[in-house]
Amino acid sequence: MQTLYALLVAPFVEYAFMQKALFGSLLLSAGACPVGVFLMLRRMSLSGDAMAHAILPGAAAGFLFYGLEILPMTVGGLIAGIVVALGAGAVSRFTVQREDASMAAFYLISLALGVLLVSVRGSSVDLMHVLFGTVLALNNEALGLIGAIAAVTLASLFVFWRALVAECLDPLFLRSVSRLGSPVHFIFLGLVVINLVGGFQALGTLLSVGLMILPAAAARFWTARVETMCVAAVAIGFASCVAGLLLSYHAALPSGPAIILSAGAVYLVSVLAGTRGALRARLVTHRHRTA
């Protein structure tokens, strides 16, 4: 019993930085994982990855002028994310290029520009901080920001739930029967951007999308209902955060990658053993053939 306590509970009881890391990552999961479900259902998972890199030049500009201050980097990242989202959308709408190609182009430009801006003033340590985050160094200001983002996200999902689900299933039908068609699309993109900005504080620009997409992708192998999928994604996100932080503490590993790898492990298990996973599908097929 004491061994289990030392392994699973003691790190969060004895160290304040572990408590803040756990609280911040759980708040991040509560907001980002449901958004990841809708990203996945819209087949925009890779767009979310591109948007995560798109916030880098704005965050880097804030770092260039104010150093590792949360508010300037957050505002900069938010502005950059919105500019890239609108720019990619405009290119796809007014030219022959599709949105995935324009998003990829903007993401590559943003990533290179952001790395360049950080390198102008900072060191390799600062660059690693921006790219991969420092979840174990979250302070009260960062926790407040992540908590506010989670609250806004959950409130928005509650208000626009039916419209968001309808747009995932049939966006043309939604636009034909409701005026919410176009607005809800931009509201959703805004939720993606602010959750990536919140994730940037803990996991950096390269890994912030991982906690958004991996739990959502894993949840899809367990249920087909959107509501249940969102709940399952949040639960998987919570478990991944706890497991990743404990793995980071006991094995002296970087905390951000440990959290994302924990979510990746759940995803791989879900692919094989989920109620809608590969093994169940093969078992059902085998039963039909032998029946």
Side-chain angles (χ1 to χ4, degrees):
M1 195 70 180
Q2 290 182 343
T3 303
L4 285 177
Y5 177 85
L7 286 174
L8 304 178
V9 180
F12 299 117
V13 173
E14 297 176 3
Y15 299 101
F17 71 90
M18 288 290 287
Q19 296 170 9
K20 290 183 177 181
L22 178 63
F23 186 50
S25 58
L26 293 182
L27 285 175
L28 188 60
S29 298
C33 291
V35 172
V37 169
F38 285 101
L39 263 179
M40 180 187 59
L41 293 177
R42 290 164 175 252
R43 299 181 181 178
M44 293 175 60
S45 300
L46 291 179
S47 297
D49 183 54
M51 289 299 301
H53 302 317
I55 69 176
L56 180 56
F63 169 79
L64 189 64
F65 292 104
Y66 297 97
L68 294 173
E69 293 290 332
I70 290 177
L71 186 59
M73 294 179 71
T74 299
V75 172
L78 189 60
I79 293 173
I82 292 173
V83 168
V84 168
L86 294 178
V91 169
S92 65
R93 175 163 295 191
F94 298 113
T95 70
V96 297
Q97 194 168 65
R98 294 177 58 181
E99 187 172 13
D100 58 342
S102 60
M103 185 68 76
F106 274 88
Y107 129 67
L108 291 169
I109 295 170
S110 299
L111 182 60
L113 180 60
V115 172
L116 183 65
L117 287 175
V118 174
S119 301
V120 167
R121 173 175 173 177
S123 63
S124 59
V125 174
D126 295 321
L127 181 60
M128 292 292 287
H129 173 90
V130 172
L131 292 178
F132 297 103
T134 50
V135 66
L136 294 180
L138 290 176
N139 54 25
N140 292 333
E141 188 178 3
L143 291 177
L145 173 67
I146 296 172
I149 289 172
V152 169
T153 300
L154 294 175
S156 300
L157 290 176
F158 178 79
V159 173
F160 297 104
W161 179 265
R162 293 183 66 183
L164 286 168
V165 173
E167 195 189 24
C168 287
L169 300 176
D170 194 339
L172 294 178
F173 173 76
L174 177 63
R175 291 171 189 172
S176 67
V177 299
S178 174
R179 295 180 180 179
L180 286 175
S182 295
V184 81
H185 179 71
F186 289 103
I187 290 171
F188 175 71
L189 288 179
L191 292 179
V192 173
V193 171
I194 64 172
N195 276 278
L196 290 174
V197 169
F200 159 77
Q201 304 296 335
L203 300 171
T205 58
L206 294 185
L207 295 178
S208 59
V209 72
L211 196 57
M212 183 179 288
I213 297 299
L214 283 171
R220 194 171 190 183
F221 289 106
W222 295 98
T223 179
R225 292 182 56 84
V226 180
E227 299 92 339
T228 312
M229 203 179 297
C230 288
V231 173
V234 172
I236 292 170
F238 283 0
S240 301
C241 291
V242 173
L245 288 173
L246 288 173
L247 181 63
S248 171
Y249 175 82
H250 292 295
L253 297 174
S255 52
I259 290 174
I260 302 305
L261 284 175
S262 298
V266 177
Y267 170 77
L268 293 176
V269 170
S270 301
V271 169
L272 296 175
T275 54
R276 305 176 74 230
L279 293 180
R280 175 60 68 90
R282 292 192 59 149
L283 183 61
V284 171
T285 302
H286 177 71
R287 285 177 177 174
H288 281 300
R289 287 178 179 176
T290 57

